[in-house]
Amino acid sequence: MLVNLLDKRNFFIQIFIIVLFFVLGATNFNSINLSNLEYTGVFLVLLTIGFVGYIDNTNELISKSSYPTYFYILWLMPFIGGLLDYRIAGSLLLVTYVTAKLLYFESEKNDTFNAFDIGLFMSFAILLSPPLIFLGVVVFTYFLTLRAVEPKIPILGFLGFLVPILIVAQVSYLLDYYFMFNFYKEQLMLTMAHLELKQLFLAPLFIILIISAIHHFKNINKLTAQKKRAFVLVHFMFIAILVTFVLYGGNNDTYLAFLAFSVMIMLTRYFSESKPKIEWLNEALLWIYMICLLLYNFYDRIPRFFSLITEVSF
């Protein structure tokens, strides 16, 4: 059922999936009376989803199916409540933009000066959410690997990265905004992620991701050099975000939202290209993916649900 629905790109199915799972994710809002800054967060999340939809429809490197929409919005769903924080939502939008630009960075149509833009937006993302510095290291390391092809790529990337930092430092100094230095110092203090029982529902998903990674590296020689490097970069970005969550997640799992774009690419490639010997295997994995994320999303409300049933029955 799901395989047949998602195997082809269908605009109405994509819109239905986005609306349904965004609304389910919005049930995590603490109140319907949001502040102006929280409305800003919602707007930035919607902008990010819209941008991903645009990239999906114009970027054949990902897929020509509805899989990207399914995998992206479902992964994002449990973390929509945490994305009311406009800083994290803004960082998510910027990181998504940077990742999309990096996918085609080595194509013939790409302009070398895009390295400056990527460095610039990555810097803004880190200024909004400093723990994303690990992701910045991965992107800059990628640029360093291209210096043999074009020596100015890492230089342009570094200059782009430096511009926002210098502006913020200068403004903070001139206006005596020393609290900003304390803010960044506090943000970069390690706050290890506290594992919760509900995160067990993510375990099957990581198993599926491992299967997709194994499939990718077994078939990597079938790809062009550009696609090889692009998809390997996506895997490294996935690892960097996972490390960020472990080191800085604390009691907040919202950093896992930054995995959404990488998860979308990894699983879309796997389900679009794999042909398992067991016909129903992909169908089962798609249902497992959805059920696990729904359980993760509603985990805190399950006790209330059973309590309500008990009260009604008596």
Side-chain angles (χ1 to χ4, degrees), residues 2-182:
L2 285 177
V3 171
N4 293 332
L5 280 174
L6 302 173
D7 200 40
K8 295 180 181 179
R9 182 174 288 164
N10 186 306
F11 177 76
F12 294 105
I13 289 175
Q14 289 175 305
I15 292 297
F16 176 77
I17 290 171
I18 289 171
V19 172
L20 172 63
F21 293 113
F22 180 84
V23 170
L24 291 177
T27 59
N28 291 314
F29 293 172
N30 293 324
S31 170
I32 58 173
N33 299 316
L34 304 180
S35 67
N36 290 335
L37 289 178
E38 288 174 330
Y39 276 119
T40 302
V42 173
F43 172 75
L44 290 172
V45 172
L46 291 173
L47 199 59
T48 303
I49 294 171
F51 177 72
V52 171
Y54 168 76
I55 292 298
D56 174 36
N57 280 281
T58 58
N59 190 336
E60 294 185 358
L61 187 62
I62 300 175
S63 173
K64 295 181 181 180
S65 66
S66 297
Y67 283 123
T69 304
Y70 178 81
F71 290 125
Y72 184 83
I73 194 64
L74 256 171
W75 185 275
L76 198 66
M77 174 185 63
F79 313 111
I80 287 175
L83 290 171
L84 288 177
D85 184 334
Y86 73 95
R87 291 182 296 107
I88 297 180
S91 294
L92 179 65
L93 175 60
L94 293 168
V95 167
T96 303
Y97 175 80
V98 165
T99 309
K101 296 286 282 185
L102 286 169
L103 285 178
Y104 272 104
F105 189 76
E106 294 184 53
S107 67
E108 294 179 358
K109 297 179 180 179
N110 181 62
D111 186 351
T112 304
F113 285 94
N114 280 336
F116 181 88
D117 296 340
I118 291 170
L120 184 78
F121 289 115
M122 192 70 242
S123 182
F124 275 122
I126 293 170
L127 286 171
L128 287 171
S129 299
L132 293 175
I133 187 69
F134 291 101
L135 196 58
V137 170
V138 170
V139 173
F140 188 67
T141 302
Y142 168 70
F143 282 159
L144 286 175
T145 65
L146 297 175
R147 70 183 186 280
V149 180
E150 180 55 75
K152 63 184 179 183
I153 287 176
I155 297 173
L156 287 169
F158 181 72
L159 289 175
F161 183 81
L162 209 57
V163 169
I165 294 174
L166 291 176
I167 292 173
V168 170
Q170 186 71 11
V171 170
S172 300
Y173 177 77
L174 291 174
L175 299 179
D176 292 331
Y177 286 167
Y178 292 109
F179 70 89
M180 293 188 68
F181 295 105
N182 294 328

Side-chain angles (χ1 to χ4, degrees), residues 75 196-206 288-289 291-300 302:
W75 185 275
E196 301 177 16
L197 188 61
K198 70 175 184 178
Q199 288 167 350
L200 288 175
F201 292 119
L202 297 181
L205 309 186
F206 281 102
I288 289 170
Y289 183 85
I291 291 168
C292 286
L293 285 167
L294 284 170
L295 288 171
Y296 188 87
N297 184 64
F298 291 108
Y299 178 81
D300 295 330
I302 291 174

Side-chain angles (χ1 to χ4, degrees), residues 306-314:
F306 282 112
S307 175
L308 183 62
I309 292 176
T310 305
E311 290 176 10
V312 170
S313 61
F314 284 101

Side-chain angles (χ1 to χ4, degrees), residues 259-278:
L259 294 174
F261 200 84
S262 298
V263 168
M264 177 188 80
I265 295 171
M266 293 164 66
L267 293 186
T268 295
R269 284 203 66 243
Y270 173 71
F271 281 89
S272 298
E273 298 175 7
S274 67
K275 296 178 180 179
K277 295 179 181 179
I278 306 173

